Amino acid sequence: MDEKNIIEVSGVNRIFPVPGGEFQALKDINVQIPRGCLAILKGRSGSGKTTLMNIIGALDNPTSGNVLIDFRTVAKMSDHEREELRRKDMGFVFQAVSLIPTMNAFQNVEFSMRLAGIKAGRERDKRVEECLNMVGLGKRMHHMPAEMSGGEQQRVAIARAIAHKPKIILADEPTAELDSAMAAQVTRLFQEMTRKEGITILMTTHDVGLMDAGDMIIELEAGAQVLGDKE
């Protein structure tokens, strides 16, 4: 594995059984993502973006091929090691926001830090407030998810993903529920995190206006990699 890369995907295929045969969701994917990079993963619905994100996030296994995360071969990890990787070194923003409905915004973000093993105290509380302010929700931190719009809930999910300062953030359409101004703000936040904190971010988006924000673009079409894009 090249020292400059934190993610390396080599010859990855993913085949799912379907009635009467098989469906190949990914076809010989090869991706290298450097540390501190904002990578844009683009492609039409059904192109394999989410499948690739799940494999990189150690949520799914490739049918064949290899994935290295920070010099570790995911296929050789135990279930516990995978869980630790996701809990401490990764942050996730899914299309389904999945906030805990009985916790307010502050508590939702704080809970992710507890899971990452960050001890209670003023520093943890300060980080939660900082992250909610970053996404424009400093005045809404004590509101429950049911009292928030879809866009506000998505912003809480983004704050939750970045709070424990993971090495990698996997963001699946993180700006889909946001207006253009807030989408641009979140994208600038992601850029700042890669440049100042060295966090690597892989983000899927359909927003053509955000494509230029990435340091590299990875495009999928019908499960295959389209070569020759911005790097």
Side-chain angles (χ1 to χ4, degrees):
M1 183 172 187
D2 191 321
E3 284 188 8
K4 73 177 183 179
N5 297 330
I6 192 169
I7 298 170
E8 287 196 2
V9 177
S10 304
V12 161
N13 294 277
R14 184 63 172 104
I15 299 172
F16 294 98
V18 296
E22 296 177 333
F23 170 69
Q24 188 162 3
L26 294 175
K27 305 168 184 175
D28 193 31
I29 303 300
N30 296 280
V31 171
Q32 296 82 40
I33 301 178
R35 300 171 192 276
C37 174
L38 174 56
I40 306 292
L41 179 58
K42 74 173 186 176
R44 297 177 182 176
S45 180
S47 63
K49 300 190 305 299
T50 299
T51 301
L52 180 57
M53 292 273 278
N54 287 341
I55 288 173
I56 291 173
L59 295 167
D60 190 19
N61 296 312
T63 305
S64 62
N66 197 28
V67 178
L68 277 73
I69 304 294
D70 202 17
F71 297 99
R72 290 172 286 178
T73 302
V74 175
K76 294 181 179 178
M77 291 182 180
S78 66
D79 289 344
H80 174 71
E81 288 171 332
R82 287 175 177 234
E83 183 181 339
E84 287 290 288
L85 173 70
R86 293 190 297 265
R87 192 160 58 92
K88 294 183 177 180
D89 291 341
M90 292 184 169
F92 295 87
V93 184
F94 297 114
Q95 292 185 53
V97 178
S98 301
L99 298 181
I100 300 171
T102 55
M103 292 182 177
N104 63 30
F106 184 97
Q107 292 166 333
N108 264 281
V109 177
E110 181 188 44
F111 184 65
S112 73
M113 300 183 75
R114 277 192 276 157
L115 288 178
I118 298 171
K119 294 181 180 179
R122 178 57 195 153
E123 286 304 310
R124 191 173 78 180
D125 291 349
K126 183 179 177 181
R127 177 63 178 171
V128 174
E129 293 175 6
E130 178 185 27
C131 291
L132 286 168
N133 279 317
M134 283 181 186
V135 297
L137 290 175
K139 295 181 179 179
R140 305 272 290 167
M141 65 177 65
H142 299 299
H143 285 67
M144 305 298 285
E147 301 172 318
M148 295 181 161
S149 68
E152 288 174 330
Q153 291 182 37
Q154 184 69 292
R155 282 187 272 161
V156 175
I158 292 168
R160 179 180 62 184
I162 67 177
H164 62 290
K165 297 184 179 179
K167 294 179 180 179
I168 298 169
I169 292 175
L170 301 177
D172 195 4
E173 294 285 351
T175 61
E177 296 294 327
L178 307 180
D179 61 35
S180 57
M182 183 52 64
Q185 180 178 325
V186 166
T187 304
R188 285 194 297 272
L189 171 62
F190 282 174
Q191 289 176 315
E192 183 175 336
M193 292 173 63
T194 61
R195 293 165 187 170
K196 293 186 177 180
E197 301 185 37
I199 295 173
T200 302
I201 301 176
L202 177 61
M203 176 175 79
T204 68
T205 183
H206 284 98
D207 189 339
V208 176
L210 299 180
M211 295 294 175
D212 287 340
D215 299 306
M216 63 180 294
I217 292 176
I218 304 157
E219 184 175 4
L220 299 181
E221 185 175 312
Q225 195 170 350
V226 179
L227 301 178
D229 262 291
K230 172 183 176 180
E231 299 212 13

